Amino acid sequence: MANIKLLEQLCALRGISGDEEAVRDFIVEQITPYAERITIDAMGNIIAEKKGAKPAKTKLMLNAHMDEVGLIVTHIDDDGYLKFAAVGGIDKRVLCGRSVIIGNGVHGVIGAKPIHLLHSEERGKAVPINDMYLDIGASSREEAEKAVHLGDSVCFHSLFDTQNGMIRSRALDDRAGCAILIDMIQSELPYDMTFVFCVQEEVGTRGSRTAAYQVQPQAAIVVETTTAADIAGVPSEKHVCSLGKGAVISFMDRGTIYDRAYYDLALDTAREEQLPYQIKQAVAGGNDAGAIHATRDGVRTIAVSLACRYLHSAVGQIAQDDFHSAEKLIMKLAARIAGSEQV
Amino acid sequence: MEQLKELLFQLCSAAGTPGDENLAAQQAKQALEPYCTDITIDHMGNVIAFMGDPHAERQVMLDAHIDQIGMIVTQIDGDGFLHVAPCGGVDRRVLPGAPVTVYGNETLTGIVCCLPPHLVEDDGNKVEPVDKMAVDLGLTKEEAERKVSLGDRIIMKCEPRTLLNHRVSSAALDDRAGCAAVIRCAQLLHDKPLKCGLTILLSTREETGSQGAKTGAFRIFPTEAIAVDVSFADQPGVAAYKCGKLGAGPMIGVSPTLDREMKDKLVHIAKDEEIPYQMEVMGGSTGTNADAIGTTQSGVRTALISIPLRYMHTPVEVVDLEDIERVAKLMASYIHHR
């Protein structure tokens, strides 16, 4: 069973790209008694070597990213309002009306012009990100400058809710992956494996690039979340993947053509272990695999993801069953890859 | 100020959409209990509480509305998603991807469906009308039907937060801020004998047409009434002439539909007591309960005081606690004055 309590702790931490320290510290604390060697590289990635029962026949790296999408304070105006830029692919439609936490814990809100003062055509139009600002209650620039700084990270306030077999939270992308990897490190593994918890995935898969360079794996499993569009108003051919139908296995996305033999191996493993799985039904999105598979002379790479609705917004949603079964599948697949010779 | 904040946060945390205000009403009733006698909740859901002299000729009524905007479940579809209609003037631009609470036969957490970016047309500039949106509970149709009935209410999930400068943010500050001002006024008047009668009306259904204030005022039929609501505060993108200033005190309403003498007296008292205030001039209808109260029975002299508020009808409305305190003080002085 994957660890929901651990996931809750991970999701409570704020860590937008480039500001992953709180997440990193927590993960290091969690894995220190269980890993053979832990290094933090210049980028801030965690590289953890875990001893298994036997030496691996193929050097395998498992990857999840620590960072999450968010906002960054770019300007403080004369009236004490803050302007911001998006960090990672945040959709402007999910920003208005959200409450946020800035820097060291200052509360703020992203307001909107009152509906009563809008022209009828404005009512059905998303507010452009450039027209938005954060209100922290300051009445002047001086007051605001005492509380926040340019470059401060901004995160959504969120909830962590496990009603009805789901998990609803901010930052499931990719703390869910981190939780699965931590749980693996804390358990007995059949072979030696290397785990990396990367920074800056959301701003161009930068952390995994340097991590993979150092680890020099022969094979990699990227553990991620991926967009599920199985929601009201979307025809089934556009669902990409669905909650509750098992781990999502990708053959190709916008960053990677996955290793064909490992793709087949992932499907075979799921079938033979009787674990639910689904194939990602779109060539869309991208993740750390894009950087990893093209590192040095190439790394055979596969991605196993959790289907997640409302991926880059204040609250995403995954299914608890998927979280548990995906961890089992990743464990089995990792053992098969690490236990086979490269030919 | 801490005590006022606590009261306000308690009021904001209790749900009360139009026609379904009971949780908020019970919370307000409890807050009024130390100061008032004869607290009742009438068949329209209005909270009515009395203090002072029931036999005095002068009978004042203070009104604030207890309801908040929300949504109402209109259909459960084949995949278990809830389809909804607005219940009051919901701003659809803040809905996609928002966490919500559904008040079914248990309290459920949901998310308003939001298309992933790769499926969005028109660069994501268009926001669908509320009746084209749906709420995701992560339930199948059968499970959803067991837990939710058509007509159940939904509000946006947003905890009250403290900002800088005595400013706070929450959903439902429209008009729980007004309710807090009225309750605080009762507290201020509590230990002094009143020469008049004072009835507090925390009225229902303002957001769907002021039916609570209309019937509540009929029942009470005071000699004069003050409606306390929220009004637009300064914010980027809104012309200064259309709004008041946050933190600059009560907005005293001036309109052909409001009583001039009462307005003059409020201004006079504010000056006398050095309570900062601002004028809010409207050309006719005020868009508040004052409109309905004024024409009750044979007519009720009515004034309007508004609390400046930013981002009205979003889950992150912002008010300044100082403004609420000043509204309470102004009303308390007005009631004592004669």
Side-chain angles (χ1 to χ4, degrees), chain B residues 4 7-8 11 32 62-64 173 175-189 198 200 202 227-230 250 305-307 320-332 335:
Chain B
L4 178 62
L7 167 67
L8 181 63
L11 291 170
L32 282 166
L62 299 182
D63 164 85
L173 284 171
D175 185 29
R176 304 287 158 74
C179 295
V182 169
I183 295 168
R184 174 72 181 134
C185 177
Q187 189 187 18
L188 291 171
L189 293 172
L198 173 63
I200 287 169
L202 302 179
V228 186
D229 209 330
V230 295
I305 302 179
S306 296
I307 299 163
D320 192 321
L321 291 170
E322 291 267 22
D323 287 333
I324 301 178
E325 179 70 16
R326 288 161 176 159
V327 169
K329 274 191 188 146
L330 178 59
M331 293 191 299
I335 289 162

mmCIF file of all heavy atoms in Angstrom, chain B residues 4 7-8 11 32 62-64 173 175-189 198 200 202 227-230 250 305-307 320-332 335:
data_model
loop_
_atom_site.group_PDB
_atom_site.id
_atom_site.type_symbol
_atom_site.label_atom_id
_atom_site.label_comp_id
_atom_site.label_asym_id
_atom_site.label_seq_id
_atom_site.Cartn_x
_atom_site.Cartn_y
_atom_site.Cartn_z
ATOM 1 N N LEU B 4 -13.784 40.625 17.371
ATOM 2 C CA LEU B 4 -14.613 40.894 16.184
ATOM 3 C C LEU B 4 -14.224 39.950 15.051
ATOM 4 O O LEU B 4 -15.074 39.423 14.331
ATOM 5 C CB LEU B 4 -14.447 42.365 15.762
ATOM 6 C CG LEU B 4 -15.204 42.794 14.510
ATOM 7 C CD1 LEU B 4 -16.710 42.646 14.682
ATOM 8 C CD2 LEU B 4 -14.858 44.238 14.137
ATOM 9 N N LEU B 7 -15.618 36.515 15.682
ATOM 10 C CA LEU B 7 -17.052 36.508 15.372
ATOM 11 C C LEU B 7 -17.271 36.431 13.859
ATOM 12 O O LEU B 7 -18.055 35.615 13.363
ATOM 13 C CB LEU B 7 -17.710 37.781 15.939
ATOM 14 C CG LEU B 7 -19.128 38.087 15.451
ATOM 15 C CD1 LEU B 7 -20.118 37.051 15.962
ATOM 16 C CD2 LEU B 7 -19.574 39.496 15.876
ATOM 17 N N LEU B 8 -16.547 37.277 13.144
ATOM 18 C CA LEU B 8 -16.708 37.327 11.688
ATOM 19 C C LEU B 8 -16.326 35.996 11.044
ATOM 20 O O LEU B 8 -17.036 35.488 10.169
ATOM 21 C CB LEU B 8 -15.850 38.469 11.123
ATOM 22 C CG LEU B 8 -15.910 38.677 9.612
ATOM 23 C CD1 LEU B 8 -17.322 39.063 9.175
ATOM 24 C CD2 LEU B 8 -14.928 39.760 9.180
ATOM 25 N N LEU B 11 -18.984 33.436 11.629
ATOM 26 C CA LEU B 11 -20.146 33.673 10.766
ATOM 27 C C LEU B 11 -19.854 33.245 9.328
ATOM 28 O O LEU B 11 -20.693 32.647 8.662
ATOM 29 C CB LEU B 11 -20.538 35.159 10.794
ATOM 30 C CG LEU B 11 -21.127 35.689 12.102
ATOM 31 C CD1 LEU B 11 -21.227 37.213 12.064
ATOM 32 C CD2 LEU B 11 -22.499 35.074 12.373
ATOM 33 N N LEU B 32 -25.898 36.291 19.126
ATOM 34 C CA LEU B 32 -26.786 37.357 19.635
ATOM 35 C C LEU B 32 -27.310 37.062 21.043
ATOM 36 O O LEU B 32 -27.754 37.968 21.746
ATOM 37 C CB LEU B 32 -27.982 37.536 18.694
ATOM 38 C CG LEU B 32 -27.710 38.319 17.406
ATOM 39 C CD1 LEU B 32 -28.861 38.138 16.421
ATOM 40 C CD2 LEU B 32 -27.486 39.800 17.704
ATOM 41 N N LEU B 62 -32.362 47.149 12.651
ATOM 42 C CA LEU B 62 -31.093 47.019 11.920
ATOM 43 C C LEU B 62 -31.170 45.745 11.092
ATOM 44 O O LEU B 62 -31.497 44.680 11.621
ATOM 45 C CB LEU B 62 -29.904 46.915 12.882
ATOM 46 C CG LEU B 62 -29.661 48.089 13.819
ATOM 47 C CD1 LEU B 62 -28.411 47.812 14.672
ATOM 48 C CD2 LEU B 62 -29.498 49.395 13.049
ATOM 49 N N ASP B 63 -30.861 45.872 9.809
ATOM 50 C CA ASP B 63 -30.931 44.706 8.939
ATOM 51 C C ASP B 63 -29.575 44.418 8.307
ATOM 52 O O ASP B 63 -28.855 45.337 7.896
ATOM 53 C CB ASP B 63 -31.945 44.948 7.806
ATOM 54 C CG ASP B 63 -31.787 43.951 6.659
ATOM 55 O OD1 ASP B 63 -32.378 42.855 6.769
ATOM 56 O OD2 ASP B 63 -31.063 44.250 5.682
ATOM 57 N N ALA B 64 -29.219 43.141 8.261
ATOM 58 C CA ALA B 64 -28.095 42.706 7.422
ATOM 59 C C ALA B 64 -28.526 41.353 6.864
ATOM 60 O O ALA B 64 -29.272 40.621 7.525
ATOM 61 C CB ALA B 64 -26.821 42.563 8.235
ATOM 62 N N LEU B 173 -18.256 37.262 2.985
ATOM 63 C CA LEU B 173 -18.178 38.535 3.720
ATOM 64 C C LEU B 173 -19.360 39.420 3.319
ATOM 65 O O LEU B 173 -19.818 40.252 4.105
ATOM 66 C CB LEU B 173 -16.849 39.241 3.433
ATOM 67 C CG LEU B 173 -15.643 38.638 4.149
ATOM 68 C CD1 LEU B 173 -14.340 39.236 3.649
ATOM 69 C CD2 LEU B 173 -15.754 38.832 5.664
ATOM 70 N N ASP B 175 -22.924 38.995 3.139
ATOM 71 C CA ASP B 175 -22.952 40.159 3.983
ATOM 72 C C ASP B 175 -22.720 39.766 5.440
ATOM 73 O O ASP B 175 -23.265 40.362 6.355
ATOM 74 C CB ASP B 175 -24.305 40.864 3.800
ATOM 75 C CG ASP B 175 -24.403 42.171 4.562
ATOM 76 O OD1 ASP B 175 -23.388 42.828 4.775
ATOM 77 O OD2 ASP B 175 -25.524 42.528 4.973
ATOM 78 N N ARG B 176 -21.914 38.725 5.671
ATOM 79 C CA ARG B 176 -21.614 38.371 7.068
ATOM 80 C C ARG B 176 -20.859 39.503 7.738
ATOM 81 O O ARG B 176 -20.912 39.641 8.966
ATOM 82 C CB ARG B 176 -20.809 37.079 7.152
ATOM 83 C CG ARG B 176 -21.451 35.890 6.465
ATOM 84 C CD ARG B 176 -22.649 35.323 7.208
ATOM 85 N NE ARG B 176 -23.498 34.583 6.282
ATOM 86 C CZ ARG B 176 -23.213 33.395 5.775
ATOM 87 N NH1 ARG B 176 -22.103 32.775 6.143
ATOM 88 N NH2 ARG B 176 -24.029 32.812 4.927
ATOM 89 N N ALA B 177 -20.148 40.330 6.951
ATOM 90 C CA ALA B 177 -19.504 41.510 7.524
ATOM 91 C C ALA B 177 -20.581 42.423 8.101
ATOM 92 O O ALA B 177 -20.428 42.981 9.195
ATOM 93 C CB ALA B 177 -18.681 42.243 6.468
ATOM 94 N N GLY B 178 -21.696 42.556 7.370
ATOM 95 C CA GLY B 178 -22.829 43.354 7.858
ATOM 96 C C GLY B 178 -23.445 42.721 9.105
ATOM 97 O O GLY B 178 -23.774 43.415 10.074
ATOM 98 N N CYS B 179 -23.601 41.391 9.077
ATOM 99 C CA CYS B 179 -24.146 40.689 10.263
ATOM 100 C C CYS B 179 -23.241 40.921 11.466
ATOM 101 O O CYS B 179 -23.720 41.174 12.576
ATOM 102 C CB CYS B 179 -24.257 39.191 9.995
ATOM 103 S SG CYS B 179 -25.437 38.766 8.702
ATOM 104 N N ALA B 180 -21.918 40.837 11.242
ATOM 105 C CA ALA B 180 -20.975 41.051 12.343
ATOM 106 C C ALA B 180 -21.099 42.475 12.880
ATOM 107 O O ALA B 180 -21.060 42.691 14.098
ATOM 108 C CB ALA B 180 -19.547 40.785 11.864
ATOM 109 N N ALA B 181 -21.295 43.458 11.996
ATOM 110 C CA ALA B 181 -21.438 44.852 12.432
ATOM 111 C C ALA B 181 -22.687 45.020 13.303
ATOM 112 O O ALA B 181 -22.654 45.697 14.332
ATOM 113 C CB ALA B 181 -21.503 45.782 11.220
ATOM 114 N N VAL B 182 -23.769 44.373 12.884
ATOM 115 C CA VAL B 182 -25.025 44.479 13.637
ATOM 116 C C VAL B 182 -24.890 43.793 15.005
ATOM 117 O O VAL B 182 -25.322 44.328 16.036
ATOM 118 C CB VAL B 182 -26.184 43.871 12.807
ATOM 119 C CG1 VAL B 182 -27.429 43.724 13.659
ATOM 120 C CG2 VAL B 182 -26.460 44.738 11.581
ATOM 121 N N ILE B 183 -24.266 42.623 15.023
ATOM 122 C CA ILE B 183 -24.080 41.900 16.292
ATOM 123 C C ILE B 183 -23.149 42.698 17.216
ATOM 124 O O ILE B 183 -23.390 42.824 18.408
ATOM 125 C CB ILE B 183 -23.545 40.477 16.041
ATOM 126 C CG1 ILE B 183 -24.592 39.650 15.272
ATOM 127 C CG2 ILE B 183 -23.175 39.781 17.350
ATOM 128 C CD1 ILE B 183 -24.089 38.323 14.718
ATOM 129 N N ARG B 184 -22.097 43.255 16.626
ATOM 130 C CA ARG B 184 -21.170 44.086 17.409
ATOM 131 C C ARG B 184 -21.894 45.313 17.968
ATOM 132 O O ARG B 184 -21.653 45.723 19.106
ATOM 133 C CB ARG B 184 -20.003 44.507 16.507
ATOM 134 C CG ARG B 184 -19.030 45.483 17.114
ATOM 135 C CD ARG B 184 -18.152 44.868 18.187
ATOM 136 N NE ARG B 184 -17.264 45.887 18.744
ATOM 137 C CZ ARG B 184 -17.035 46.072 20.037
ATOM 138 N NH1 ARG B 184 -17.609 45.282 20.934
ATOM 139 N NH2 ARG B 184 -16.216 47.009 20.452
ATOM 140 N N CYS B 185 -22.809 45.886 17.203
ATOM 141 C CA CYS B 185 -23.591 47.034 17.661
ATOM 142 C C CYS B 185 -24.439 46.629 18.871
ATOM 143 O O CYS B 185 -24.498 47.351 19.855
ATOM 144 C CB CYS B 185 -24.464 47.545 16.511
ATOM 145 S SG CYS B 185 -25.543 48.901 16.983
ATOM 146 N N ALA B 186 -25.054 45.461 18.789
ATOM 147 C CA ALA B 186 -25.853 44.968 19.929
ATOM 148 C C ALA B 186 -24.976 44.828 21.161
ATOM 149 O O ALA B 186 -25.381 45.172 22.276
ATOM 150 C CB ALA B 186 -26.483 43.622 19.571
ATOM 151 N N GLN B 187 -23.754 44.370 20.940
ATOM 152 C CA GLN B 187 -22.815 44.216 22.053
ATOM 153 C C GLN B 187 -22.475 45.580 22.663
ATOM 154 O O GLN B 187 -22.439 45.736 23.877
ATOM 155 C CB GLN B 187 -21.559 43.524 21.540
ATOM 156 C CG GLN B 187 -20.603 43.102 22.620
ATOM 157 C CD GLN B 187 -19.286 42.574 22.046
ATOM 158 O OE1 GLN B 187 -18.957 42.817 20.869
ATOM 159 N NE2 GLN B 187 -18.541 41.843 22.854
ATOM 160 N N LEU B 188 -22.266 46.590 21.811
ATOM 161 C CA LEU B 188 -21.932 47.932 22.286
ATOM 162 C C LEU B 188 -23.085 48.546 23.088
ATOM 163 O O LEU B 188 -22.873 49.327 24.006
ATOM 164 C CB LEU B 188 -21.579 48.850 21.108
ATOM 165 C CG LEU B 188 -20.275 48.552 20.374
ATOM 166 C CD1 LEU B 188 -20.165 49.402 19.100
ATOM 167 C CD2 LEU B 188 -19.069 48.798 21.270
ATOM 168 N N LEU B 189 -24.327 48.198 22.691
ATOM 169 C CA LEU B 189 -25.509 48.789 23.337
ATOM 170 C C LEU B 189 -25.929 48.026 24.586
ATOM 171 O O LEU B 189 -26.764 48.498 25.363
ATOM 172 C CB LEU B 189 -26.686 48.797 22.353
ATOM 173 C CG LEU B 189 -26.545 49.716 21.133
ATOM 174 C CD1 LEU B 189 -27.689 49.450 20.163
ATOM 175 C CD2 LEU B 189 -26.526 51.178 21.557
ATOM 176 N N LEU B 198 -35.156 48.089 19.848
ATOM 177 C CA LEU B 198 -34.250 47.777 18.745
ATOM 178 C C LEU B 198 -34.474 46.331 18.308
ATOM 179 O O LEU B 198 -34.360 45.406 19.120
ATOM 180 C CB LEU B 198 -32.791 47.957 19.177
ATOM 181 C CG LEU B 198 -31.748 47.489 18.161
ATOM 182 C CD1 LEU B 198 -31.834 48.286 16.870
ATOM 183 C CD2 LEU B 198 -30.342 47.566 18.743
ATOM 184 N N ILE B 200 -33.254 43.436 15.651
ATOM 185 C CA ILE B 200 -32.225 43.038 14.685
ATOM 186 C C ILE B 200 -32.822 42.013 13.735
ATOM 187 O O ILE B 200 -33.446 41.035 14.177
ATOM 188 C CB ILE B 200 -31.001 42.478 15.431
ATOM 189 C CG1 ILE B 200 -30.257 43.658 16.091
ATOM 190 C CG2 ILE B 200 -30.084 41.704 14.488
ATOM 191 C CD1 ILE B 200 -29.196 43.235 17.059
ATOM 192 N N LEU B 202 -31.675 39.601 10.724
ATOM 193 C CA LEU B 202 -30.657 39.034 9.831
ATOM 194 C C LEU B 202 -31.440 38.260 8.781
ATOM 195 O O LEU B 202 -31.970 37.178 9.041
ATOM 196 C CB LEU B 202 -29.678 38.155 10.614
ATOM 197 C CG LEU B 202 -28.964 38.893 11.762
ATOM 198 C CD1 LEU B 202 -28.019 37.963 12.519
ATOM 199 C CD2 LEU B 202 -28.199 40.113 11.258
ATOM 200 N N ALA B 227 -30.273 49.544 6.927
ATOM 201 C CA ALA B 227 -29.778 48.323 6.284
ATOM 202 C C ALA B 227 -28.261 48.419 6.221
ATOM 203 O O ALA B 227 -27.713 49.467 5.888
ATOM 204 C CB ALA B 227 -30.364 48.185 4.884
ATOM 205 N N VAL B 228 -27.614 47.323 6.585
ATOM 206 C CA VAL B 228 -26.151 47.286 6.514
ATOM 207 C C VAL B 228 -25.749 46.249 5.477
ATOM 208 O O VAL B 228 -26.065 45.066 5.602
ATOM 209 C CB VAL B 228 -25.524 46.893 7.873
ATOM 210 C CG1 VAL B 228 -24.003 47.013 7.800
ATOM 211 C CG2 VAL B 228 -26.071 47.764 8.983
ATOM 212 N N ASP B 229 -25.091 46.712 4.449
ATOM 213 C CA ASP B 229 -24.627 45.779 3.422
ATOM 214 C C ASP B 229 -23.174 46.123 3.100
ATOM 215 O O ASP B 229 -22.559 46.949 3.778
ATOM 216 C CB ASP B 229 -25.522 45.858 2.175
ATOM 217 C CG ASP B 229 -25.567 44.526 1.416
ATOM 218 O OD1 ASP B 229 -24.568 43.775 1.459
ATOM 219 O OD2 ASP B 229 -26.588 44.234 0.778
ATOM 220 N N VAL B 230 -22.648 45.480 2.076
ATOM 221 C CA VAL B 230 -21.294 45.798 1.628
ATOM 222 C C VAL B 230 -21.397 46.561 0.314
ATOM 223 O O VAL B 230 -22.388 46.442 -0.395
ATOM 224 C CB VAL B 230 -20.453 44.517 1.433
ATOM 225 C CG1 VAL B 230 -20.257 43.814 2.762
ATOM 226 C CG2 VAL B 230 -21.106 43.594 0.420
ATOM 227 N N PRO B 250 -17.332 53.769 7.337
ATOM 228 C CA PRO B 250 -18.654 53.452 6.803
ATOM 229 C C PRO B 250 -18.969 54.280 5.565
ATOM 230 O O PRO B 250 -18.629 55.448 5.501
ATOM 231 C CB PRO B 250 -19.595 53.852 7.947
ATOM 232 C CG PRO B 250 -18.766 53.871 9.176
ATOM 233 C CD PRO B 250 -17.375 54.167 8.758
ATOM 234 N N ILE B 305 -26.115 51.852 5.312
ATOM 235 C CA ILE B 305 -24.687 51.989 5.590
ATOM 236 C C ILE B 305 -23.991 50.794 4.956
ATOM 237 O O ILE B 305 -24.418 49.644 5.138
ATOM 238 C CB ILE B 305 -24.397 51.997 7.110
ATOM 239 C CG1 ILE B 305 -25.168 53.130 7.795
ATOM 240 C CG2 ILE B 305 -22.895 52.157 7.360
ATOM 241 C CD1 ILE B 305 -24.964 53.192 9.301
ATOM 242 N N SER B 306 -22.924 51.078 4.211
ATOM 243 C CA SER B 306 -22.221 49.979 3.560
ATOM 244 C C SER B 306 -20.787 49.867 4.061
ATOM 245 O O SER B 306 -20.144 50.866 4.374
ATOM 246 C CB SER B 306 -22.232 50.164 2.050
ATOM 247 O OG SER B 306 -23.553 50.098 1.578
ATOM 248 N N ILE B 307 -20.342 48.618 4.100
ATOM 249 C CA ILE B 307 -18.954 48.316 4.472
ATOM 250 C C ILE B 307 -18.182 48.152 3.167
ATOM 251 O O ILE B 307 -18.574 47.334 2.330
ATOM 252 C CB ILE B 307 -18.897 47.015 5.305
ATOM 253 C CG1 ILE B 307 -19.717 47.186 6.591
ATOM 254 C CG2 ILE B 307 -17.451 46.622 5.596
ATOM 255 C CD1 ILE B 307 -20.077 45.881 7.271
ATOM 256 N N ASP B 320 -11.980 45.401 5.751
ATOM 257 C CA ASP B 320 -11.130 45.886 6.828
ATOM 258 C C ASP B 320 -11.948 45.835 8.120
ATOM 259 O O ASP B 320 -13.039 46.403 8.183
ATOM 260 C CB ASP B 320 -10.709 47.323 6.499
ATOM 261 C CG ASP B 320 -9.586 47.807 7.407
ATOM 262 O OD1 ASP B 320 -9.621 47.486 8.617
ATOM 263 O OD2 ASP B 320 -8.693 48.505 6.906
ATOM 264 N N LEU B 321 -11.415 45.138 9.123
ATOM 265 C CA LEU B 321 -12.160 44.994 10.391
ATOM 266 C C LEU B 321 -12.472 46.348 11.021
ATOM 267 O O LEU B 321 -13.506 46.519 11.668
ATOM 268 C CB LEU B 321 -11.355 44.140 11.378
ATOM 269 C CG LEU B 321 -11.190 42.658 11.033
ATOM 270 C CD1 LEU B 321 -10.174 42.015 11.975
ATOM 271 C CD2 LEU B 321 -12.520 41.921 11.118
ATOM 272 N N GLU B 322 -11.588 47.312 10.838
ATOM 273 C CA GLU B 322 -11.819 48.668 11.365
ATOM 274 C C GLU B 322 -13.132 49.234 10.823
ATOM 275 O O GLU B 322 -13.863 49.915 11.532
ATOM 276 C CB GLU B 322 -10.690 49.617 10.932
ATOM 277 C CG GLU B 322 -9.357 49.343 11.577
ATOM 278 C CD GLU B 322 -9.134 50.163 12.835
ATOM 279 O OE1 GLU B 322 -10.136 50.626 13.436
ATOM 280 O OE2 GLU B 322 -7.966 50.325 13.223
ATOM 281 N N ASP B 323 -13.380 48.989 9.548
ATOM 282 C CA ASP B 323 -14.611 49.509 8.938
ATOM 283 C C ASP B 323 -15.842 48.896 9.602
ATOM 284 O O ASP B 323 -16.837 49.586 9.832
ATOM 285 C CB ASP B 323 -14.632 49.218 7.432
ATOM 286 C CG ASP B 323 -13.658 50.093 6.644
ATOM 287 O OD1 ASP B 323 -13.366 51.222 7.116
ATOM 288 O OD2 ASP B 323 -13.205 49.660 5.570
ATOM 289 N N ILE B 324 -15.772 47.589 9.893
ATOM 290 C CA ILE B 324 -16.909 46.925 10.544
ATOM 291 C C ILE B 324 -17.133 47.519 11.930
ATOM 292 O O ILE B 324 -18.249 47.839 12.327
ATOM 293 C CB ILE B 324 -16.674 45.404 10.647
ATOM 294 C CG1 ILE B 324 -16.481 44.809 9.243
ATOM 295 C CG2 ILE B 324 -17.813 44.717 11.370
ATOM 296 C CD1 ILE B 324 -16.187 43.320 9.242
ATOM 297 N N GLU B 325 -16.037 47.702 12.665
ATOM 298 C CA GLU B 325 -16.113 48.264 14.015
ATOM 299 C C GLU B 325 -16.718 49.670 13.962
ATOM 300 O O GLU B 325 -17.565 50.034 14.780
ATOM 301 C CB GLU B 325 -14.707 48.293 14.625
ATOM 302 C CG GLU B 325 -14.608 48.874 16.031
ATOM 303 C CD GLU B 325 -15.236 47.981 17.107
ATOM 304 O OE1 GLU B 325 -15.480 46.794 16.838
ATOM 305 O OE2 GLU B 325 -15.499 48.508 18.224
ATOM 306 N N ARG B 326 -16.303 50.469 12.970
ATOM 307 C CA ARG B 326 -16.818 51.833 12.864
ATOM 308 C C ARG B 326 -18.296 51.860 12.483
ATOM 309 O O ARG B 326 -19.043 52.718 12.944
ATOM 310 C CB ARG B 326 -16.014 52.611 11.816
ATOM 311 C CG ARG B 326 -14.610 52.952 12.280
ATOM 312 C CD ARG B 326 -13.778 53.285 11.080
ATOM 313 N NE ARG B 326 -12.435 53.707 11.422
ATOM 314 C CZ ARG B 326 -11.435 53.652 10.543
ATOM 315 N NH1 ARG B 326 -11.639 53.190 9.307
ATOM 316 N NH2 ARG B 326 -10.237 54.066 10.891
ATOM 317 N N VAL B 327 -18.709 50.921 11.658
ATOM 318 C CA VAL B 327 -20.138 50.841 11.317
ATOM 319 C C VAL B 327 -20.932 50.528 12.584
ATOM 320 O O VAL B 327 -21.981 51.143 12.848
ATOM 321 C CB VAL B 327 -20.388 49.769 10.217
ATOM 322 C CG1 VAL B 327 -21.882 49.488 10.069
ATOM 323 C CG2 VAL B 327 -19.800 50.214 8.886
ATOM 324 N N ALA B 328 -20.421 49.590 13.379
ATOM 325 C CA ALA B 328 -21.107 49.232 14.629
ATOM 326 C C ALA B 328 -21.201 50.444 15.558
ATOM 327 O O ALA B 328 -22.263 50.721 16.136
ATOM 328 C CB ALA B 328 -20.365 48.082 15.311
ATOM 329 N N LYS B 329 -20.099 51.172 15.681
ATOM 330 C CA LYS B 329 -20.077 52.353 16.568
ATOM 331 C C LYS B 329 -21.035 53.426 16.073
ATOM 332 O O LYS B 329 -21.757 54.035 16.866
ATOM 333 C CB LYS B 329 -18.661 52.939 16.609
ATOM 334 C CG LYS B 329 -17.776 52.300 17.632
ATOM 335 C CD LYS B 329 -16.495 53.105 17.791
ATOM 336 C CE LYS B 329 -15.520 52.351 18.679
ATOM 337 N NZ LYS B 329 -14.139 52.572 18.272
ATOM 338 N N LEU B 330 -21.020 53.661 14.780
ATOM 339 C CA LEU B 330 -21.890 54.691 14.207
ATOM 340 C C LEU B 330 -23.358 54.368 14.468
ATOM 341 O O LEU B 330 -24.144 55.219 14.873
ATOM 342 C CB LEU B 330 -21.610 54.813 12.697
ATOM 343 C CG LEU B 330 -22.460 55.815 11.911
ATOM 344 C CD1 LEU B 330 -22.302 57.239 12.463
ATOM 345 C CD2 LEU B 330 -22.086 55.796 10.423
ATOM 346 N N MET B 331 -23.719 53.099 14.286
ATOM 347 C CA MET B 331 -25.114 52.705 14.507
ATOM 348 C C MET B 331 -25.473 52.786 15.984
ATOM 349 O O MET B 331 -26.572 53.230 16.336
ATOM 350 C CB MET B 331 -25.352 51.290 13.983
ATOM 351 C CG MET B 331 -25.239 51.203 12.467
ATOM 352 S SD MET B 331 -25.814 49.635 11.780
ATOM 353 C CE MET B 331 -24.725 48.462 12.538
ATOM 354 N N ALA B 332 -24.541 52.371 16.841
ATOM 355 C CA ALA B 332 -24.810 52.413 18.282
ATOM 356 C C ALA B 332 -25.033 53.863 18.716
ATOM 357 O O ALA B 332 -25.981 54.162 19.464
ATOM 358 C CB ALA B 332 -23.655 51.783 19.050
ATOM 359 N N ILE B 335 -28.404 55.099 17.493
ATOM 360 C CA ILE B 335 -29.536 54.561 18.250
ATOM 361 C C ILE B 335 -29.681 55.288 19.595
ATOM 362 O O ILE B 335 -30.783 55.576 20.043
ATOM 363 C CB ILE B 335 -29.388 53.029 18.429
ATOM 364 C CG1 ILE B 335 -29.619 52.366 17.071
ATOM 365 C CG2 ILE B 335 -30.359 52.481 19.458
ATOM 366 C CD1 ILE B 335 -29.099 50.951 16.963
#
